[in-house]
Amino acid sequence: MIIVHIFVLALFVVLGIIFAMGKGANLIAGYNTSFPEEKAKYDEKKLCKGMSKLMLAYALCWLVIASSEIFKKTSLLWAGIALFTVVTIVALIYMNTGNRYKK
């Protein structure tokens, strides 16, 4: 099971790095399927930077979840799941308010 945790953790870190370089906007759901006129309204670099921060935050959450497997502590698993949920809710609210990523 630890192999799966390492794979997911590595996936979040790699995606975080890709987004931090300003690349990979085609991996962002919703953005990649929007029309070119709609895409032109958004600053792609800012959007990628925001997604980078989110992916790295998810990596930290997953590290807590993976540590539950290493230390055999169920409380770490639940703390990681709760943290993952909180990060997701905060990110959704933050990214969808204030027109942060519009040009």
Side-chain angles (χ1 to χ4, degrees), residues 4-22:
V4 174
H5 288 301
I6 291 171
F7 176 76
V8 173
L9 183 63
L11 181 66
F12 282 134
V13 170
V14 167
L15 284 173
I17 292 169
I18 290 170
F19 287 134
M21 293 186 305

Side-chain angles (χ1 to χ4, degrees), residues 60-79:
L60 288 175
C61 296
W62 204 267
L63 187 61
V64 173
I65 292 171
S67 66
S68 73
E69 183 72 25
I70 295 168
F71 297 116
K72 303 295 183 205
K73 296 276 188 178
T74 308
S75 59
L76 285 174
L77 173 67
W78 288 109

Side-chain angles (χ1 to χ4, degrees), residues 15-96:
L15 284 173
I17 292 169
I18 290 170
F19 287 134
M21 293 186 305
K23 308 285 185 200
N26 59 338
L27 298 173
I28 301 171
Y31 182 75
N32 65 347
T33 58
S34 60
F35 293 108
E37 304 84 35
E38 187 68 24
K39 285 183 180 180
K41 295 178 185 176
Y42 291 93
D43 185 348
E44 194 172 290
K45 296 286 183 188
K46 281 185 183 178
L47 187 60
C48 285
K49 292 288 184 184
M51 287 302 296
S52 170
K53 291 174 186 175
L54 179 62
M55 290 298 113
L56 294 175
Y58 280 160
L60 288 175
C61 296
W62 204 267
L63 187 61
V64 173
I65 292 171
S67 66
S68 73
E69 183 72 25
I70 295 168
F71 297 116
K72 303 295 183 205
K73 296 276 188 178
T74 308
S75 59
L76 285 174
L77 173 67
W78 288 109
I81 291 171
L83 190 60
F84 202 91
T85 304
V86 168
V87 166
T88 300
I89 292 169
V90 168
L92 282 172
I93 293 170
Y94 180 80
M95 289 181 167
N96 289 306

